Amino acid sequence: MPIDVDGAIKPISTMGLTLPDGREYSEEVYASIEESSYAKDMCDVKSF
């Protein structure tokens, strides 16, 4: 379960791609809290 209100924070990013022919791909990437940062005014995603 992605959200556990009584548990630790578990950062996750979900990416989806739909090709012109209708094929769909999806990937979930998990990170530790130490590898994550957050902002209220922008999105800043990096891959390690």
Side-chain angles (χ1 to χ4, degrees):
M1 174 163 64
I3 299 174
D4 180 358
V5 294
D6 296 321
I9 296 173
K10 299 176 184 175
I12 181 175
S13 177
T14 304
M15 295 163 269
L17 172 68
T18 303
L19 299 178
D21 65 6
R23 289 182 290 163
E24 296 181 351
Y25 298 90
S26 180
E27 180 88 23
E28 291 182 344
V29 178
Y30 295 85
S32 69
I33 194 69
E34 295 81 19
E35 297 172 312
S36 305
S37 63
Y38 305 90
K40 292 181 179 181
D41 59 340
M42 67 177 190
C43 178
D44 184 16
V45 179
K46 295 180 176 84
S47 176
F48 298 97

